[in-house]
Amino acid sequence: FGTQVARRLKFRTRFWTGSEYREQELPGPDNFRQWLACWRVFCTICRSLQLVAAAALTAYERNILKLSDLYPDCCGLIYEADVWCRGEILEELRRKLEKRHASAGVGAVPLWDAAAPWSAVFLEASGAEQVEGLGGADGALFWRKNVVDPAVTCIARGRPGASRNQLPNAQSAQG
């Protein structure tokens, strides 16, 4: 059943080719609500298997929610970055945090447990700034480079088919 549903889930995303916008259909949830439902199932599994602390998963979810609120027309961009983050970047972050913990010692990485590192990894991936400025920088950099900067560029160029006064926050800028 799950594979049939996964095959049907598709979303449309727009990307800039350098001269024009192109639309592409990709596999994945159609909107943020579908993503959130899938994410909450993932969270339940992680918590029931005691793989990740609830606080770390909540921080990651809040980051995605914040990005989707700031850039509602860039859901495809946010989703693609999320998939890339969870599929590849989390492992890179785990290795970085492991090295940071080994070189700096106990307390250098919030929530670090060598036997169960994923809480610290998801907290870092969320980009959340932790106590005394420790952690979150690598995650924040990832989201800025892969979502915030491209989304701002998209907004600056104007959405395809939209006039400039229909852009997010346009009323507050005019008013």
Side-chain angles (χ1 to χ4, degrees), residues 136-159:
D138 290 325
L141 179 63
F142 171 82
W143 294 107
R144 193 186 85 231
K145 283 173 56 178
N146 295 287
V147 175
V148 175
D149 292 349
V152 168
T153 302
C154 178
I155 291 169
R157 287 189 180 121
R159 294 187 326 239

Side-chain angles (χ1 to χ4, degrees), residues 21-163:
Y21 282 99
R22 297 271 174 141
E23 233 180 59
Q24 185 177 12
E25 195 172 82
L26 298 172
D30 188 37
N31 56 46
F32 181 71
R33 281 191 180 154
Q34 286 180 353
W35 178 88
L36 190 58
C38 296
W39 172 254
R40 295 235 167 115
V41 170
F42 175 77
C43 290
T44 301
I45 293 167
C46 286
R47 291 179 63 203
S48 66
L49 296 174
Q50 298 177 351
L51 298 173
V52 185
L57 294 168
T58 301
Y60 189 89
E61 178 182 317
R62 284 184 181 156
N63 181 53
I64 299 290
L65 177 60
K66 178 184 78 175
L67 291 170
S68 68
D69 285 346
L70 286 172
Y71 311 108
D73 294 327
C74 298
C75 289
L77 184 66
I78 297 165
Y79 175 72
E80 289 176 55
D82 168 52
V83 169
W84 184 28
C85 183
R86 288 185 290 118
E88 296 178 30
I89 303 302
L90 287 180
E91 178 56 26
E92 291 176 22
L93 289 175
R94 186 194 63 76
R95 283 189 237 122
K96 276 186 178 181
L97 294 177
E98 191 171 45
K99 286 179 186 175
R100 189 184 306 159
H101 176 72
S103 65
V106 176
V109 179
L111 293 179
W112 182 258
D113 177 1
W118 298 110
S119 293
V121 173
F122 268 97
L123 194 58
E124 179 74 20
S126 75
E129 190 174 324
Q130 288 117 40
V131 180
E132 298 173 16
L134 294 174
D138 290 325
L141 179 63
F142 171 82
W143 294 107
R144 193 186 85 231
K145 283 173 56 178
N146 295 287
V147 175
V148 175
D149 292 349
V152 168
T153 302
C154 178
I155 291 169
R157 287 189 180 121
R159 294 187 326 239
S163 66

